[in-house]
Amino acid sequence: MTIRSLLGRASRSHLVSIGIALAAAGAAPSVFAQHTVPFQNGIPVAPQGLANKPLGAGPFTYATGEGQDIRVVVVTKELSFPFSIAFLPDGTMLVTERKGDIRVIKNGKLDPKPVTGPTAFFIGESGLPGAVHGYMDLVLHPQFAQNQQLYLSYTKRTGDKKPTVAIAKMRWTGSGVTDVKDIWESDDTVNGAAPIVFGKDGMLYIATSGGDAQAHDTTSGKVLRIKDDGSVPKDNPFVGQQGWNPAIYSLGHRSSLGLAVHPITGEVWLSENGPNGGDELNIIRAGKNYGWPMVSYGRDYKGAWQAKTMPTHEGYEPPVVYWTPAIAVSGFVFYTGTALPNWTGDVFVGGLRTGEIPGTGHLDRVLFNEKMEELRRESLLTDLRQRIRDVKQGPDGLLYVATDEDEGAVLRIEPAAK
């Protein structure tokens, strides 16, 4: 039997053994054990063996690492690619759908009639490269109880030009929205998600993706800081500096999918996707550079390290937490509730897929010490095989999760009955 015919019949594990044996004997093997995979637009075509698994009816019960059993209840799975969850003071839940609707869940029931605000640009199946369009983050104004104002980030149609990202302000009427008005719009270098959050300083923070993250005069790859009317605060770090967009608060970000405010320190945190690895949680500080594309703990999609030297963040702001392999970090929340007492103080981070394999989305729990240094992490809901787009804490002290699927769901995480 020739070597070629032997190789043709061998499994991949056998090929490794054969290659090692041939190398030891001084012979050059005629094939490599490694795969040559197809690429599309510079990105490996993802395998589909675990993808598109339907979510069961639930509920689902799990034991967890901290000895706290949980029950996961399906609140609804009648959504289409939900992106963001926002809770009103009375417990009503508003959920954005990427196609351009806001859905209302009240007393655990989904209102069949969607709420529509500004007209959004939406195209592409969620999960495909660059397919983050439509309605994105929805947040309440800090004085919502007095002014009923909501703020929405969305991709805006611009005729024949490239879509931009806009922030719309609108007033909640109790059953819909009115007085819809754009207060800010990006330049056309921005693409991808645009998470937003109000800081404890009353300012609106916007994280953007795409474009040249190091350019001083663009809005892409930045965290921007504006007032609630869209104007620029005078104390932004680059106000008055020639060649700088005055809204820039920090720069050097790759692909931002989540913003949250630390409940004690008031620091704004950002979840940021690396390329093939190197996802990050960052604390955003005024005027700081987070290094993309010069530094990263990830590889480019063809396999080489993104950083030109060994992966490092020397000279730039380092992440607080990073993931290699990537989990495609998305929305996240600081858990302050007591309903799940063994998790109080932990951070819960959504993951859309792990190691570039669809069907591996999950929820990560990260435990920190008093200095916000990571001690351990735990992956949850892995067997559901859902893309986790957002996680929020409800007024009831429970966790709520949105799955980024065509048959999208909202899940509630609660203590399991003893």
Side-chain angles (χ1 to χ4, degrees), residues 94-417:
L94 304 181
V95 183
T96 58
E97 291 180 310
R98 288 179 53 241
K99 64 181 181 179
D101 285 326
I102 301 170
R103 306 303 300 274
V104 181
I105 300 175
K106 195 166 186 175
N107 299 322
K109 302 294 183 182
L110 176 68
D111 189 331
K113 184 179 179 181
V115 173
T116 303
T119 301
F121 172 82
F122 169 72
I123 189 172
E125 181 182 344
S126 190
L128 296 180
V132 182
H133 309 108
Y135 282 13
M136 293 181 281
D137 263 12
L138 183 71
V139 299
L140 278 62
H141 189 279
Q143 281 80 50
F144 178 84
Q146 290 77 41
N147 61 26
Q148 307 297 299
Q149 296 293 331
L150 299 171
Y151 287 73
L152 170 73
S153 62
Y154 73 103
T155 47
K156 183 177 181 178
R157 295 182 182 275
T158 54
D160 295 334
K161 299 178 181 179
K162 292 175 63 177
T164 58
V165 169
I167 307 299
K169 179 176 74 171
M170 61 196 78
R171 185 171 61 85
W172 177 248
T173 66
S175 58
V177 295
T178 188
D179 302 330
V180 180
K181 177 185 178 182
D182 287 345
I183 63 160
W184 179 87
E185 187 174 339
S186 74
D187 57 45
D188 64 5
T189 64
V190 173
N191 61 69
I196 57 176
V197 72
F198 274 101
K200 289 195 172 184
D201 57 3
M203 301 298 154
L204 183 66
Y205 292 79
I206 310 162
T208 61
S209 306
D212 183 352
Q214 295 296 322
H216 298 171
D217 58 348
T218 70
T219 56
S220 52
K222 314 296 191 300
V223 172
L224 309 160
R225 179 176 178 258
I226 61 174
K227 296 182 180 180
D228 61 0
D229 62 359
S231 62
V232 174
K234 293 181 180 179
D235 61 347
N236 270 9
F238 302 110
V239 167
Q241 295 192 29
Q242 186 174 1
W244 284 85
N245 185 308
I248 295 174
Y249 192 74
S250 66
L251 67 157
H253 303 289
R254 182 180 180 269
S255 180
S256 303
L257 266 78
L259 282 171
V261 175
H262 190 285
I264 304 300
T265 67
E267 294 167 325
V268 174
W269 287 45
L270 169 71
S271 66
E272 181 177 339
N273 278 212
N276 188 353
D279 290 1
E280 300 176 353
L281 284 185
N282 287 300
I283 299 175
I284 302 304
R285 296 187 168 94
K288 297 299 184 179
N289 191 329
Y290 291 76
W292 181 261
M294 283 82 73
V295 297
S296 172
Y297 289 124
R299 299 176 179 271
D300 70 30
Y301 288 112
K302 294 182 179 179
W305 287 112
Q306 174 66 31
K308 301 308 177 187
T309 58
M310 285 301 293
T312 177
H313 274 67
E314 184 177 355
Y316 300 93
E317 289 296 298
V320 181
V321 180
Y322 70 90
W323 285 261
T324 296
I327 65 167
V329 292
S330 54
F332 66 105
V333 68
F334 297 91
Y335 182 64
T336 62
T338 58
L340 300 160
N342 292 1
W343 289 348
T344 302
D346 295 349
V347 176
F348 290 82
V349 184
L352 297 166
R353 72 182 190 187
T354 304
E356 304 302 319
I357 298 177
T360 54
H362 64 276
L363 185 68
D364 263 8
R365 179 185 64 87
V366 185
L367 182 146
F368 294 88
N369 64 16
E370 66 279 1
K371 298 179 181 179
M372 295 308 293
E373 297 165 332
E374 179 188 357
L375 296 182
R376 57 180 175 261
R377 67 180 79 172
E378 178 180 13
S379 294
L380 305 165
L381 315 187
T382 55
D383 65 306
L384 299 183
R385 303 207 175 279
Q386 302 293 294
R387 290 167 54 84
I388 305 300
R389 175 63 76 175
D390 197 18
V391 53
K392 289 291 195 315
Q393 180 178 319
D396 54 8
L398 303 176
L399 288 169
Y400 290 79
V401 170
T403 69
D404 180 38
E405 306 283 350
D406 189 16
E407 188 181 74
V410 169
L411 312 176
R412 182 176 67 245
I413 300 176
E414 60 190 34

